[in-house]
Amino acid sequence: MDTDIALKTAADLSPFALFLQADVVVKAVMLGLLLASVWSWAIILERSRRLSRLNREAAQFEDWFWKADNLDALYEPASRANHPSARAFIAGLNEWRRSLAAKGGRIDRDGLRARLASAINVSIGRDIDELSDRLNALATIGSVAPFVGLFGTVWGIMRAFTGIAASQNTALAVVAPGIAEALFATAIGLFAAIPAVIGYNRLLHRVNRLEARLGAFAEEYLNLLSRQIDGLERN
């Protein structure tokens, strides 16, 4: 008899049973947190794969860049590429061509350098902003999910105590399910928050590293263009 009661209690305290027994408000909290967890994992996996791909392509493009005989030869393959290094290269070379065509024989060296730096940095900034965009969702989930879960717990405990007062029975078998389903909401909140926080910090670090890599490439690219500007000035 005691074994049957124990098995029934264990079944009643399973995660699925706790969800079914929960109040509609607590169910809504649980479902919202589960959806937030799925969303955060989708962002983490998508951004991780994308950053890995972008780093591989950046390394490949930089290798092509330094092996190219001239910048014009890289223009066509770079225009077909879909990564920040190629877009920064295209932005700089387009500005270079427009400036030389507009100025004719006379070149404003400082102005051209400033425009080239602006075009390249704007291109890099757009890509970094786009990569960082969904990370805000991870930060929000990581900071808000525990409090949403806590709200579900508080609500569930209030209902549990109300039920205890109404039944006037404080036996553990009566109290345990209501308390357990309330605490389950906090557990789901932590289940959603912890991966989101870890994913946000890790992905932000990888985005910052990619930004630093693109910044270093931009400096080398600008130095190369600057030397070409000096050569034009001497002609």
Side-chain angles (χ1 to χ4, degrees):
M1 185 67 177
D2 292 339
T3 303
D4 293 339
I5 294 173
L7 290 174
K8 184 177 183 302
T9 302
D12 290 342
L13 296 181
S14 67
F16 185 67
L18 290 175
F19 173 77
L20 292 179
Q21 296 166 12
D23 176 71
V24 63
V25 174
V26 181
K27 282 182 180 177
V29 168
M30 291 179 181
L31 286 174
L33 290 172
L34 287 173
L35 290 174
S37 179
V38 171
W39 188 23
S40 67
W41 275 109
I43 293 172
I44 291 169
L45 293 175
E46 187 271 334
R47 281 294 183 263
S48 295
R49 288 196 297 266
R50 187 172 179 185
L51 285 167
S52 296
R53 177 179 62 83
L54 290 178
N55 274 297
R56 288 195 304 269
E57 291 176 345
Q60 185 181 41
F61 182 80
E62 289 169 14
D63 186 54
W64 290 347
F65 179 81
W66 292 115
K67 289 180 179 178
D69 294 331
N70 59 77
L71 297 180
D72 291 329
L74 268 180
Y75 187 86
E76 184 177 349
S79 63
R80 295 194 302 266
N82 185 29
H83 58 88
S85 298
R87 283 190 285 271
F89 171 79
I90 291 295
L93 199 57
N94 283 338
E95 181 59 38
W96 166 271
R97 291 175 173 178
R98 285 193 297 265
S99 296
L100 292 185
K103 292 297 181 181
R106 184 172 179 81
I107 298 172
D108 179 7
R109 184 173 57 186
D110 293 335
L112 177 55
R113 286 196 176 103
R115 288 192 299 273
L116 289 171
S118 176
I120 294 170
N121 290 331
V122 166
S123 175
I124 292 174
R126 286 198 189 106
D127 283 308
I128 294 300
D129 286 343
E130 194 274 331
L131 284 171
S132 303
D133 182 47
R134 292 190 179 181
L135 299 190
N136 294 330
L138 293 180
T140 301
I141 292 171
S143 59
V144 173
F147 296 101
V148 175
L150 183 60
F151 167 75
T153 295
V154 171
W155 184 274
I157 288 176
M158 287 171 57
R159 286 191 66 255
F161 283 143
T162 302
I164 292 168
S167 64
Q168 297 182 352
N169 187 348
T170 58
L172 184 60
V174 176
V175 176
I179 301 298
E181 70 188 43
L183 293 174
F184 189 46
T186 295
I188 296 178
L190 294 175
F191 176 78
I194 292 173
V197 171
I198 295 173
Y200 171 78
N201 289 330
R202 180 60 183 163
L203 290 174
L204 183 63
H205 173 67
R206 293 182 66 182
V207 169
N208 288 338
R209 287 187 62 186
L210 179 61
E211 184 178 13
R213 179 174 195 161
L214 294 172
F217 170 74
E219 288 296 326
E220 293 171 341
Y221 183 27
L222 285 170
N223 288 338
L224 179 60
L225 293 176
S226 180
R227 287 192 293 271
Q228 293 196 17
I229 292 171
D230 290 340
L232 290 174
E233 283 293 300
R234 286 194 295 268
N235 291 336

